[in-house]
Amino acid sequence: MKNMNEDKISADPSAWSGKRTAKIYSELMDKGRKKAVSLKGTEFERKPKISIRTRLIIAFALIFGFSVIINAWIIYTLSELQHKNHFLEVADSYLREIHQARRFEKNYLLYGTNLQDALEHIRNAKKILEENRPKVAKVLSSDNFKAIVSHASHYGELLVEIEKALKPESKKEIEKQLRSHGSKMVSLASDLVKIERESVDDNFKLARRIPFIFLFVLMILMFIISFFFTRQILISLSRLISYTERIAKGDFTRIVLVKKYYDEFSRLAIAINHMLDDLENHQKILVESHKMRAIGSLVAGVAHELNNPLNNIMLTAASIQEDFKDLDEEEKLDMLNDILEEAERSRKIVRNLLDFARESETTIKSLSIEDVVKKSIGLVSNQVKLAKVRLETNIPENLPPIYSDEQLLSQVLVNIMLNAVDVLPEKGKISVSVSSNQKDGYLSVNITDNGPGMAEHVLQRIFEPFFTTKPEGKGTGLGLSVSRGIIEQLGGHIRVKSEVGKGTVFDVMIPKIDIPFKV
Ligand SMILES: Nc1ncnc2c1ncn2[C@@H]1O[C@H](COP(=O)(O)OP(=O)(O)OP(=O)(O)O)[C@@H](O)[C@H]1O
Ligand SMILES: [Mg+2]
């Protein structure tokens, strides 16, 4: 009696379930909110931020930087070409003038014509050099420039000297010098022009190649960037896809952030983790509220079942009261024993229901499937009797233990059995059997009924939340969707086969030894 008093249940089960679900709801939501807030300032937040945007900007900056370098190179090459072109123009004029000077020098030496024209041309040559000094200096080294200028000056001086020389011997000597110096002057200038022309040619060749080099390096750069960039994005995306597939199967394991930095995908992962918190909370609320509904259905049967022992207790107690004096000691003791036995039976019925109804955290432990199935059958046995259907069991001995949650598993089995009771006519049959398949690592609880079965379009939707074929107010349509959620959470799955007019088979597959991934 003491235990029964501990579990106080309101007289009205619907009010009871409503209040309790609301309480659980607010507690769970509070927990969820706290989790969401507590993520701030975690180790993750302290990691460096390398967002996709930053990486994109860096990639574009890299390409832009490379283009700037190439353009600067082109501009430099073109300006070099321009300088060399200017130099060549000046050098051509200079060469023309010194060639003319040498022509007049030869005329003077051969035919004795005047030297004024030669002097005039050599002055022009020097003038050209002086006037274009900055342009020439950009291309020629200062030594070369000095050499050219001094050649021209010296040549000019020799011209003046030869004109002034009176003695034929000294004239001869100066003539010799003039010839040799003149040819040196011309060949130096011609050599420099030749070198610069070749360098202009090389620059042109290079300028022609630059766009190809640019395109080639740009292609490699873009390939490397896009390869690493898309690889990173695709890896993160495919991971997220596999996470969502896992979540769809009911595995709410949180995503672990392993990267040394954080980016938009990390934020998405956090958002998914928050969503998982909420989903888990909602799932718990759904499971709890449907459990309350199942209890509502069970209470009617329990009330009926309690009638018999209570009647027996009352009748026996009334007999004792009436015939108290006529009864001998032994008869009295027998009757009191009857009362105690009946009271014990009543207590068991209520205890079972309370066990099922008790609010508890998910606890995974080693369980005997036989015990769970028997307890669940005990819970629905009153409904079975009321509906006047038969329930057969076939549970082999020596079944391996399972790691699961007793209450949740029982909730699933009760849901499926209550569904069968609901559809069966009088004398209908439910058979519950357990089998252990060595190959697939699952224990299967098979619940078969010979009821009306389901049409294909119904069968396809039975696991959808709120799908029901029951009249309004009779079914929530949550039983099977909640059951599937629970079983997947426990690492198993539910299989169903049904044929109209023949019946329905539900197979609840529970992993044998594996400790479920996440509960
Ligand atoms: N054994 C069965 N035979 C025939 N139809 C079934 C069987 N079990 C389930 N169904 C069909 O599946 C539907 C969904 O079942 P589910 O348990 O999810 O909700 P429900 O039983 O209608 O509502 P609730 O569980 O809240 O009472 C049922 O309405 C029924 O049409
Ligand atoms: Mg149901």
Side-chain angles (χ1 to χ4, degrees):
M1 284 296 154
K2 183 180 160 274
N3 281 342
M4 269 177 62
N5 289 337
E6 276 171 11
D7 303 295
K8 283 186 191 139
I9 300 173
S10 154
D12 174 9
S14 64
W16 171 42
S17 78
K19 267 186 221 161
R20 196 170 129 180
T21 311
K23 185 180 143 235
I24 293 164
Y25 184 84
S26 68
E27 275 175 17
L28 290 174
M29 284 297 117
D30 273 357
K31 246 192 232 170
R33 248 175 257 128
K34 264 177 216 151
K35 261 188 208 165
V37 175
S38 66
L39 259 167
K40 281 184 187 162
T42 55
E43 192 194 335
F44 168 74
E45 291 280 332
R46 272 179 257 126
K47 284 182 184 178
K49 181 184 170 187
I50 309 175
S51 64
I52 297 174
R53 206 166 73 164
T54 317
R55 272 176 277 170
L56 258 178
I57 291 170
I58 292 172
F60 282 124
L62 216 67
I63 293 173
F64 181 73
F66 173 67
S67 309
V68 168
I69 292 169
I70 293 291
N71 274 306
W73 187 18
I74 291 175
I75 291 167
Y76 172 75
T77 313
L78 286 178
S79 76
E80 280 290 286
L81 274 173
Q82 199 182 19
H83 293 152
K84 283 179 181 167
N85 191 38
H86 283 156
F87 166 77
L88 287 175
E89 275 171 14
V90 174
D92 275 345
S93 312
Y94 170 77
L95 267 176
R96 235 187 346 264
E97 292 300 328
I98 56 172
H99 274 305
Q100 287 289 43
R102 290 228 63 202
R103 196 162 62 87
F104 284 112
E105 169 223 309
K106 273 179 193 139
N107 282 348
Y108 167 76
L109 294 174
L110 287 175
Y111 312 114
T113 53
N114 71 59
L115 262 179
Q116 286 315 305
D117 291 332
L119 278 166
E120 182 63 31
H121 281 294
I122 207 71
R123 267 197 296 276
N124 282 349
K126 275 167 72 185
K127 206 170 141 200
I128 287 168
L129 286 182
E130 289 304 329
E131 277 175 0
N132 294 290
R133 195 188 184 102
K135 283 183 188 171
V136 176
K138 275 183 186 151
V139 179
L140 274 193
S141 68
S142 65
D143 285 350
N144 279 341
F145 184 76
K146 274 183 201 153
I148 288 183
V149 174
S150 82
H151 268 298
S153 306
H154 189 55
Y155 182 76
E157 283 161 19
L158 287 174
L159 284 177
V160 174
E161 271 179 39
I162 202 166
E163 201 175 26
K164 283 184 188 161
L166 297 171
K167 289 181 192 162
E169 303 87 61
S170 55
K171 234 181 182 102
K172 265 259 179 285
E173 181 55 30
I174 298 171
E175 187 188 326
K176 226 168 110 190
Q177 281 184 33
L178 203 59
R179 279 183 199 280
S180 109
H181 191 77
S183 79
K184 264 191 207 163
M185 176 181 73
V186 172
S187 69
L188 175 75
S190 306
D191 284 353
L192 286 174
V193 167
K194 198 177 155 216
I195 290 169
E196 287 314 320
R197 261 194 223 291
E198 278 169 8
S199 137
V200 165
D201 254 15
D202 289 347
N203 276 11
F204 266 121
K205 273 182 204 154
L206 184 67
R208 260 203 311 270
R209 266 190 226 132
I210 289 173
F212 294 104
I213 297 170
F214 171 69
L215 287 177
F216 181 71
V217 178
L218 189 71
M219 191 182 77
I220 290 177
L221 200 67
M222 287 188 33
F223 177 77
I224 293 171
I225 289 172
S226 53
F227 176 76
F228 283 107
F229 203 64
T230 48
R231 206 174 82 115
Q232 277 182 345
I233 291 181
L234 287 182
I235 286 175
S236 300
L237 269 180
S238 65
R239 264 205 212 120
L240 283 169
I241 290 170
S242 63
Y243 286 142
T244 52
E245 280 164 0
R246 209 176 64 184
I247 294 165
K249 283 183 189 146
D251 179 355
F252 290 170
T253 315
R254 303 298 185 269
I255 300 172
V256 183
L257 299 154
V258 283
K259 282 190 218 156
K260 290 195 175 70
Y261 57 87
Y262 79 93
D263 58 11
E264 286 82 351
F265 282 112
S266 322
R267 293 202 169 279
L268 186 60
I270 291 182
I272 291 177
N273 281 352
H274 284 193
M275 182 193 76
L276 288 178
D277 290 345
D278 288 348
L279 265 181
E280 207 169 52
N281 290 342
H282 285 297
Q283 168 90 348
K284 279 184 191 160
I285 292 158
L286 212 60
V287 169
E288 194 62 26
S289 64
H290 195 268
K291 185 161 118 185
M292 291 302 128
R293 193 187 142 70
I295 291 165
S297 316
L298 294 174
V299 161
V302 167
H304 186 262
E305 186 65 10
L306 278 177
N307 246 352
N308 285 342
L310 287 177
N311 266 345
N312 288 345
I313 290 168
M314 279 186 69
L315 285 175
T316 318
S319 308
I320 296 173
Q321 196 183 36
E322 254 176 44
D323 308 326
F324 194 76
K325 282 175 194 157
D326 305 334
L327 292 169
D328 59 33
E329 286 288 299
E330 206 174 319
E331 279 174 323
K332 279 181 195 164
L333 269 176
D334 272 355
M335 288 169 99
L336 281 172
N337 261 344
D338 282 350
I339 291 176
L340 278 174
E341 264 173 31
E342 292 297 311
E344 182 57 34
R345 215 176 106 196
S346 316
R347 200 169 87 144
K348 257 192 188 160
I349 294 166
V350 177
R351 263 240 73 79
N352 268 352
L353 188 67
L354 286 174
D355 272 351
F356 184 70
R358 180 166 294 122
E359 186 186 323
S360 72
E361 280 293 305
T362 314
T363 38
I364 301 294
K365 56 181 183 191
S366 175
L367 295 174
S368 146
I369 188 72
E370 191 178 346
D371 289 351
V372 183
V373 172
K374 280 187 176 160
K375 270 189 189 166
S376 311
I377 291 174
L379 279 162
V380 296
S381 62
N382 306 318
Q383 260 58 36
V384 170
K385 269 186 219 157
L386 278 176
K388 297 196 174 85
V389 295
R390 276 183 301 142
L391 194 147
E392 286 174 3
T393 54
N394 177 15
I395 307 172
E397 278 175 10
N398 297 328
L399 285 168
I402 48 161
Y403 282 92
S404 211
D405 180 283
E406 192 174 359
Q407 265 205 28
L408 289 175
L409 207 53
S410 174
Q411 191 179 341
V412 172
L413 300 180
V414 165
N415 277 342
I416 296 174
M417 285 191 272
L418 283 180
N419 278 350
V421 171
D422 285 344
V423 293
L424 280 176
E426 274 186 25
K427 295 203 176 91
K429 195 176 95 180
I430 303 172
S431 28
V432 182
S433 62
V434 182
S435 60
S436 162
N437 189 333
Q438 286 303 321
K439 270 185 246 154
D440 59 10
Y442 287 97
L443 263 184
S444 130
V445 182
N446 175 286
I447 300 163
T448 308
D449 68 65
N450 60 354
M454 286 175 266
E456 191 54 38
H457 67 278
V458 174
L459 194 63
Q460 275 173 7
R461 301 189 56 193
I462 55 170
F463 291 108
E464 283 177 21
F466 306 109
F467 173 78
T468 179
T469 55
K470 291 175 186 167
E472 228 184 281
K474 284 265 177 182
T476 60
L478 284 174
L480 287 177
S481 90
V482 163
S483 300
R484 186 162 77 167
I486 292 174
I487 287 298
E488 284 178 353
Q489 227 182 337
L490 295 172
H493 55 271
I494 301 179
R495 291 194 306 217
V496 56
K497 270 184 261 160
S498 189
E499 214 175 307
V500 178
K502 286 205 172 164
T504 305
V505 184
F506 278 92
D507 272 319
V508 181
M509 313 294 289
I510 309 150
K512 259 185 282 189
I513 32 167
D514 289 357
I515 296 172
F517 202 56
K518 173 79 186 95
V519 185

